[in-house]
Amino acid sequence: MDRKKRSRCYQLLAGVVLYIWAIFSWSVAGQNEDLVHIVLEQGIDAAAAEVIFSQEEADDPVGFCFWGERDRQTVSCLETGASAQVTLVSLSGNPELIGAGCLVWQKGCLIDEETAQTLFGTTLCGGQSLLRDGVACRVLGTVPALRPTMITMAKNEDSLNRCVLALSAENGKTLGEQFLLRWGLVGTVMDFYPFLALTENLLLLFPAILLLTACCRLGKGWRKLSLHGILSGNQLPLLGKIVLALGLAAGTFWLLTKHLVIPPDMIPSRWSDFSFWGKWLEGQKVNFFRILFTPLGSGQLQMLLNMVKSMGASTAAAILALWSVRRQDNADIADRG
C-alpha cells in the first residue's frame, strides 16, 4: 500500500472514530430526551410543590421535580476545616429526574466530585458530614457536575423557580404549557427537542455518505450489461455488483426514512402555507436565544454540551468522508490518465 492510499485509510479511520464519539455523546445527551424543562417567572415554596405533586399522582401520575438554585453558598468539612463555595440546589419532587436518586430514601446531600476532593481529599465521601450555615449535613455521595454543586431536599422557606417534567419531549412544549395552565403558574418551557432532533439527524450523514459512495462505485458498470453477457456468465460478477449497489441504495433510503427525526411542529397542516416556515424559523430563533441566555442547571448544561460534541463530531466525520471520497476519485482519474 503506497503512502497516498495509507493516508486515505487513516483519514477514513479518523472519521469512524469521530462518528463513534458522536454516537456516544448523543447517547449521553439522549438520556434527558424525555424531560421537559420549565423556568418559572415566580418561584413557589416546597409546600406548594408537594401539593401539586400529590394531586398529580392522584389524577394522572407524572414524574416531575421543582428545584431552585442559590449561588456562592459556603460549605465546610467538620474534621479538616476545609471550605468551598458551591451552588446550592434545593429540590422537591422526584430527585431522580436531576440525577439525585438516593435523596428519595435518605436525608442528606450530594456534592460534585471537585468539591468532595477539596473538602475530604477523596471522592469516596459517603457517610462524611459537612457544615452549611452552621448545620451539619450528611454526604450521601457525589454526582457529576460542570460546576461546584450541592444538592439537597428543599425546606419550606426555599424558593423553587425551575421544574423538570418526565414527559415525551416530542410534544413536551405543549404538555409543559398545559401543566403551567393547570396549576396557575407562569413560566417558559425550554424546548430542547428541535436541537435533540438535529443532533440525531446529523448522525445519519456519515453512514449515508459511505453507503451512497459504495452504491455509485458498484453501479458504474450498469451500462455495460447485456442479456447475452448475463446468459453466458461473463457478466455475472458485474451483475452481482449492480444488485449489491441497488441493495445499498435501498439500505440508504431505509436509513434516512426510518431514523430521520422531524419535530411535529415542523409539519404544516397545509403544505401550501408558505408563511408557516417563516413563523417556525422565527419561533426556533426565539427559543434558541431563550435557551442561550437563560441560566441553566447542571443537567441542562451537560445535555447541551454533549449535543454540541455530537454535532461537531458528526459534521467532522462527514467532512472527512467526503474528503476521502474526493481524493479517491482524483486518484482514479490519475490512474486512468
Side-chain angles (χ1 to χ4, degrees):
M1 183 184 294
D2 60 28
R3 189 173 68 178
K4 290 184 178 180
K5 287 184 178 179
R6 190 162 55 246
S7 174
R8 290 195 295 271
C9 288
Y10 289 152
Q11 192 174 336
L12 195 57
L13 180 61
V16 172
V17 172
L18 283 170
Y19 184 66
I20 293 173
W21 186 32
I23 292 176
F24 173 76
S25 298
W26 157 245
S27 65
V28 176
Q31 292 175 359
N32 294 322
E33 184 177 5
D34 291 333
L35 299 181
V36 177
H37 301 271
I38 299 174
V39 178
L40 301 179
E41 290 186 8
Q42 185 174 1
I44 63 174
D45 57 32
E50 286 297 327
V51 170
I52 295 175
F53 184 77
S54 60
Q55 188 62 45
E56 285 284 341
E57 276 199 321
D59 295 343
D60 183 18
V62 57
F64 75 93
C65 179
F66 283 100
W67 53 284
E69 292 184 351
R70 281 188 284 169
D71 294 330
R72 298 186 179 183
Q73 300 295 303
T74 301
V75 293
S76 59
C77 174
L78 285 171
E79 296 180 356
T80 65
S83 62
Q85 284 196 333
V86 298
T87 297
L88 176 64
V89 178
S90 303
L91 59 88
S92 175
N94 184 2
E96 293 184 0
L97 297 182
I98 62 171
C102 64
L103 291 178
V104 174
W105 48 276
Q106 287 192 55
K107 290 184 178 181
C109 67
L110 296 170
I111 57 177
D112 67 286
E113 294 179 351
E114 181 181 345
T115 301
Q117 194 70 41
T118 300
L119 296 180
F120 306 107
T122 178
T123 58
L124 303 176
C125 56
Q128 300 289 333
S129 295
L130 55 77
L131 280 178
R132 183 180 70 85
D133 295 335
V135 179
C137 183
R138 184 187 178 196
V139 178
L140 303 176
T142 59
V143 291
L146 298 178
R147 55 188 175 184
T149 303
M150 174 181 173
I151 304 175
T152 185
M153 299 301 290
K155 299 177 182 178
N156 288 336
E157 63 271 16
D158 291 334
S159 177
L160 312 176
N161 62 350
R162 308 289 179 85
C163 182
V164 56
L165 308 175
L167 301 170
S168 171
E170 185 174 344
N171 57 348
K173 184 177 180 181
T174 301
L175 296 175
E177 290 171 348
Q178 291 175 355
F179 178 84
L180 291 173
L181 184 63
R182 183 161 61 249
W183 293 106
L185 302 174
V186 179
T188 302
V189 179
M190 311 293 286
D191 191 6
F192 289 90
Y193 185 71
F195 305 106
L196 287 165
L198 175 61
T199 306
E200 188 170 356
N201 289 338
L202 283 175
L203 291 175
L204 301 175
L205 280 178
F206 184 73
I209 290 171
L210 295 183
L211 287 171
L212 287 174
T213 301
C215 174
C216 292
R217 292 189 182 282
L218 289 170
K220 278 184 177 180
W222 68 272
R223 292 181 180 178
K224 299 178 182 179
L225 278 179
S226 66
L227 182 60
H228 176 72
I230 296 173
L231 293 176
S232 64
N234 295 331
Q235 291 186 329
L236 286 179
L238 179 59
L239 178 62
K241 288 183 178 180
I242 293 174
V243 171
L244 181 57
L246 291 174
L248 289 175
T252 305
F253 180 77
W254 174 85
L255 178 71
L256 294 176
T257 55
K258 183 71 174 179
H259 296 282
L260 188 67
V261 180
I262 301 177
D265 62 350
M266 197 177 173
I267 303 175
S269 57
R270 291 184 297 107
W271 290 100
S272 58
D273 184 8
F274 297 106
S275 64
F276 168 85
W277 303 107
K279 294 177 181 177
W280 187 85
L281 289 173
E282 182 64 26
Q284 293 310 310
K285 183 176 75 171
V286 171
N287 182 55
F288 173 75
F289 283 108
R290 181 183 295 151
I291 291 174
L292 192 63
F293 293 109
T294 300
L296 302 176
S298 181
Q300 297 161 318
L301 288 172
Q302 286 179 328
M303 180 172 62
L304 278 178
L305 179 61
N306 281 293
M307 281 194 288
V308 170
K309 287 180 181 178
S310 180
M311 286 189 284
S314 296
T315 305
I319 291 173
L320 284 174
L322 288 172
W323 188 15
S324 178
V325 170
R326 181 62 178 169
R327 290 181 64 188
Q328 184 62 52
D329 289 340
N330 292 337
D332 293 342
I333 293 172
D335 290 341
R336 288 196 297 268

